């Protein structure tokens, strides 16, 4: 396809595509003349992944190029590709393992205890480990004496969510398409997942306490 068709099918402007070509995010097309080239579906899939990394995940052009280069090197390793595009360090570079702060160390690494209880094998570089320890420490500082056991039911729900996420990727064979879908599912779905929790909380509250709840202003009950 010509660059104009690539632009139309991807939703990315011609000028932006040319910029990505100059910066090395997009490989050059097959030259058909001195100033013309043809592109194929591989360019289209890579361009969609670039758009997802920059527009959805919020990476800079330079950071997106690093991810794209790493994805190209590890296309045969699905686990590695998914970690790269959603931003989980895998240990192949030089990041430091996630460590709890001093307050969390008083109780040990509760994230480690939770992961062991769940039977989860997770990279030591995953920053979410630190989030678990920080969150539990914050709860205790506010007088809620919760430890990692408190999170076990929530971890079970997270396991089910992760299985749904990965099920969405199972039918995809192309690594670039899989990487794009992983970014979209991870970053675009997170606000919806939080919204669903809020909706479910209201619905459950209505089931438990609805008989004593005050009618909403403007409802037929309030007008009577």
């Amino acid at each position: 396809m010509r660059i104009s068709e690539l632009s139309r099918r991807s939703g990315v402007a011609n000028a932006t595509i040319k910029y990505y070509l100059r910066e090395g995010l997009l490989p050059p097309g097959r030259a058909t003349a001195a100033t013309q080239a043809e592109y194929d579906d591989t360019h289209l899939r890579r361009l969609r992944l670039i758009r997802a990394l920059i527009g959805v995940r919020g990476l800079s052009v330079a950071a997106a190029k690093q991810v794209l280069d790493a994805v190209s090197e590890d296309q045969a390793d699905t686990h590695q590709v998914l970690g790269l595009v959603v931003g989980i360090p895998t240990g192949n570079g030089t990041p430091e393992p996630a460590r709890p702060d001093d307050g969390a160390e008083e109780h040990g690494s509760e994230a480690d205890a939770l992961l062991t209880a769940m039977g989860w094998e997770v990279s030591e570089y995953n920053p979410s480990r630190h989030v678990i320890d920080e969150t539990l420490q914050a709860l205790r500082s506010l007088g809620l004496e919760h430890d990692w056991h408190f999170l076990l039911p929530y971890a079970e729900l997270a396991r089910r969510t992760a299985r749904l996420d990965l099920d969405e990727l199972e039918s995809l064979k192309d690594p670039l398409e899989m990487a794009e879908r992983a970014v979209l599912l991870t970053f675009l779905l997170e606000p919806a997942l939080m919204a669903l929790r809020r909706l479910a909380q209201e619905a459950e509250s209505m089931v438990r306490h609805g008989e004593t709840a005050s009618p909403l202003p403007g409802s037929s009950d309030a007008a009577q």
Side-chain angles (χ1 to χ4, degrees):
M1 70 190 85
R2 301 285 293 275
I3 193 170
S4 56
E5 184 179 356
L6 182 63
S7 173
R8 179 182 61 80
R9 293 179 61 182
S10 66
V12 179
N14 276 16
T16 303
I17 293 175
K18 292 177 181 178
Y19 172 66
Y20 292 158
L21 286 166
R22 290 195 302 271
E23 294 298 315
L25 277 77
L26 198 65
R30 183 177 66 86
T32 58
T35 59
Q36 293 184 350
E38 287 186 344
Y39 304 89
D40 57 25
D41 287 342
T42 301
H43 290 89
L44 179 61
R45 287 190 290 269
R46 188 175 174 100
L47 192 54
R48 286 172 174 167
L49 176 54
I50 294 169
R51 185 174 62 176
L53 290 172
I54 295 176
V56 175
R57 196 180 146 193
L59 294 183
S60 66
V61 170
K65 185 177 186 304
Q66 290 180 345
V67 172
L68 288 163
D69 291 344
V71 168
S72 297
E73 293 174 3
D74 293 293
Q75 283 192 0
D77 188 335
T78 300
H79 182 64
Q80 185 85 355
V81 167
L82 296 181
L84 288 166
V85 297
V86 301
I88 299 174
T90 60
N92 287 353
T94 57
E96 288 295 322
R99 299 183 185 277
D101 57 24
D102 293 339
E105 286 177 356
E106 177 184 346
H107 300 269
S109 178
E110 295 184 278
D112 286 347
L114 177 63
L115 293 171
T116 299
M118 294 298 296
W120 289 352
E121 183 179 348
V122 176
S123 167
E124 63 179 331
Y125 300 93
N126 192 321
S128 295
R129 290 172 172 268
H130 187 50
V131 173
I132 296 297
D133 288 323
E134 278 191 328
T135 299
L136 290 172
Q137 182 190 359
L139 289 172
R140 280 192 291 269
S141 72
L142 296 172
L144 299 177
E145 291 303 319
H146 292 312
D147 64 7
W148 61 269
H149 294 87
F150 171 72
L151 294 178
L152 282 173
Y154 294 94
E156 289 292 349
L157 293 175
R159 190 206 303 269
R160 292 172 59 189
T161 302
R163 286 173 174 168
L164 289 173
D165 290 339
L166 272 293
D167 285 347
E168 283 287 321
L169 305 177
E170 284 299 310
S171 62
L172 304 177
K173 304 303 180 184
D174 182 87
L176 295 177
E177 186 177 3
M178 183 183 298
E180 179 206 10
R181 186 76 61 85
V183 172
L184 297 181
L185 285 174
T186 300
F187 292 91
L188 290 185
L189 267 186
E190 281 187 344
L193 294 177
M194 183 61 72
L196 286 170
R197 185 186 186 190
R198 297 288 183 262
L199 293 169
Q201 286 173 336
E202 180 181 346
E204 184 64 20
S205 177
M206 181 60 69
V207 169
R208 298 188 186 197
H209 312 295
E211 292 183 1
T212 59
S214 300
L216 295 174
S219 67
S220 57
D221 289 339
Q224 292 178 358

